[in-house]
Structures are given as C-alpha cells and as structure tokens.
Amino acid sequence: MSNIYHQAKFLLSCPSLKGCPEDQGYEVVFAGRSNAGKSSAINTITLQKKLAKVSRTPGRTQHLVFFELDENHRLVDLPGYGYAKVPEHIKQQWQKDMGEYFAQRQCLVGAVLVMDARRPLTKFDQMMLDWCVGANLPTQIILTKSDKLKKGAAKNSLLKVKREVEQYPYVDVQLFSSLKKQGLEALGLRLDTFFGYVS
Ligand SMILES: Nc1nc2c(ncn2[C@@H]2O[C@H](COP(=O)(O)OP(=O)(O)OP(=O)(O)O)[C@@H](O)[C@H]2O)c(=O)[nH]1
Ligand SMILES: [Mg+2]
C-alpha cells in the first residue's frame, strides 16, 4: 500500500455540507454507525494514534472531519448515524446531510463503510450501503472489532455480509481490527485503488 496515508493532517471540520472544502480533488469517506470504529480505523490506516478523536461514548464525531493526505487527496470522518441520544430533529438533519453528501459530492471516489463485525448490516448500515450503491461508489465494507469475535464467528460474519453484497460489483468486504491492526494492508490497498495509486 502507498505510504501517503501516514502524512494525513487535520484539515477542517464542519457541522454541515456548507462548510466542506471545495469540491475538487479526491475524497474517500469513512461512514458507519456511531461507535462502530470509524475514527479508530482512520487512526489505524494513518498510523497516528490521535488524528481522529476516538471515544467510548457513541456520537463523539458530530462534524464532518476532513483530513488531507496532500492538497488533492482527503479522508473524511463522517458523524456516526443511528446515535440514540441526540434529539430526533438532529438525527434527521444528519441523515439528510449525509444523503446529500453521497449524492452530490463530485470528488468522492470511494467509501469505507464501517460495521461492527458482531452485528453487521443493521438497517442504518443498509441505508448507507444504498447511498453508496445509488451513487455507483466503489465501497469497502470493513467489519471492525473482529478481535472481539472468535475466528469461526468472524468468518461467519464475513461470509454473511459477502453473500448480501455479491450482487454489487463495486462493493467488497473484509474483516478489520484497529486494536490488532488486522486487515490494515487489505484496506490500504483498496484505498490505493480508490485514489488511483496503483503501482
Ligand atoms: N476491541 C476493539 N475496539 C475498538 C476497535 N475499533 C474501535 N474500538 C473502540 O470502539 C469505541 C468507538 O470507537 P470510535 O473509533 O470512536 O468509533 P466511531 O465510529 O468513530 O464513533 P462516533 O464518532 O461516535 O460515530 C472506542 O472505545 C474504541 O476504542 C477495534 O477494532 N477493536
Ligand atoms: Mg468518530
């Protein structure tokens, strides 16, 4: 995998689409339920412990957070959706904003859909997947926290999701653990293809 991810720097964060960086260059978004492990996955892929804020409390990331790899390439940490403890109208607004982000963002070249390996494809996960598929977006589903599952259970989870998404040619699935750094190389190679860093 390319080592461009290691040079990721915080660029900006914004509460809604209005504050996003200009829609140019190439962007890969990390999306998924709150507490799934999106921010942790960004830290893992960039080999930086504190780049994206990680928290045990679901709903930590409430802004769209942009990290730049260089002036034309960015990673984006989306707010976790499905968080139960924010008011319903804020949830609705997030959902609307995120739907628009997927549908309208021209520089978006790929998505990493982060799902908990222990309970993948919740209805929220399905909604995100529909946005990705609807936007014809190459998507890597990472089943995180795989360290919390025994080998057989992790494999079953992987097979289950694989079966569900085999109808979509641009969607792939892998196991991932930020804690054990499992699946890091596979994710890095997939990001490389999203960005076009193919050697
Ligand atoms: N065991 C284990 N714990 C993990 C892993 N990834 C994340 N966690 C833990 O899960 C919790 C949530 O992680 P975050 O990375 O903050 O999750 P997030 O999806 O960014 O959450 P929001 O910002 O709230 O949407 C933290 O306590 C992490 O330490 C993993 O691979 N294995
Ligand atoms: Mg987060």
Side-chain angles (χ1 to χ4, degrees):
M1 64 185 270
S2 158
N3 55 16
I4 193 170
Y5 309 105
H6 310 164
Q7 64 191 45
K9 287 191 201 76
F10 173 80
L11 177 63
L12 61 86
S13 77
C14 51
S16 71
L17 290 179
K18 288 193 199 86
C20 284
E22 218 176 309
D23 192 354
Q24 61 180 29
Y26 305 93
E27 221 160 79
V28 170
V29 70
F30 283 63
R33 295 192 65 192
S34 43
N35 207 45
K38 298 173 294 296
S39 300
S40 301
I42 288 179
N43 289 341
T44 302
I45 201 77
T46 57
L47 301 183
Q48 297 184 41
K49 287 201 173 85
K50 291 184 182 160
L51 185 66
K53 288 200 181 80
V54 168
S55 169
R56 293 161 79 103
T57 315
R60 182 68 188 86
T61 311
Q62 299 202 353
H63 283 54
L64 294 106
V65 186
F66 292 82
F67 302 100
E68 84 182 336
L69 305 175
D70 62 25
E71 60 184 18
N72 275 319
H73 297 85
R74 293 178 294 277
L75 301 178
V76 187
D77 192 3
L78 273 197
Y81 55 88
Y83 175 51
K85 287 183 190 155
V86 298
E88 189 57 33
H89 72 276
I90 294 187
K91 254 200 235 175
Q92 299 281 336
Q93 188 59 44
W94 281 0
Q95 207 155 310
K96 189 168 163 276
D97 274 356
M98 282 186 276
E100 277 174 20
Y101 174 85
F102 277 94
Q104 292 172 13
R105 193 82 173 152
Q106 295 297 317
C107 61
L108 190 56
V109 291
V112 178
L113 265 192
V114 182
M115 300 183 194
D116 191 316
R118 295 166 297 175
R119 39 182 176 277
L121 287 175
T122 63
K123 71 171 182 169
F124 293 105
D125 295 330
Q126 197 65 57
M127 178 183 78
M128 298 246 62
L129 184 60
D130 289 346
W131 285 340
C132 294
V133 170
N136 280 324
L137 195 63
T139 300
Q140 186 76 347
I141 297 177
I142 62 171
L143 302 174
T144 47
K145 308 193 187 182
S146 64
D147 55 277
K148 293 192 183 241
L149 285 176
K150 294 217 169 79
K151 232 181 174 175
K155 202 171 161 193
N156 285 341
S157 176
L158 179 65
L159 285 175
K160 179 185 149 190
V161 180
K162 269 201 171 148
R163 271 197 298 272
E164 290 290 326
V165 301
E166 65 189 0
Q167 53 183 315
Y168 309 122
Y170 298 111
V171 181
D172 206 354
V173 197
Q174 65 165 105
L175 291 167
F176 192 80
S177 164
S178 290
L179 191 73
K180 304 275 186 207
K181 313 271 178 263
Q182 186 199 358
L184 177 57
E185 183 73 13
L187 176 59
L189 289 172
R190 185 76 160 137
L191 290 178
D192 285 354
T193 64
F194 291 167
F195 281 128
Y197 298 133
V198 187
S199 50

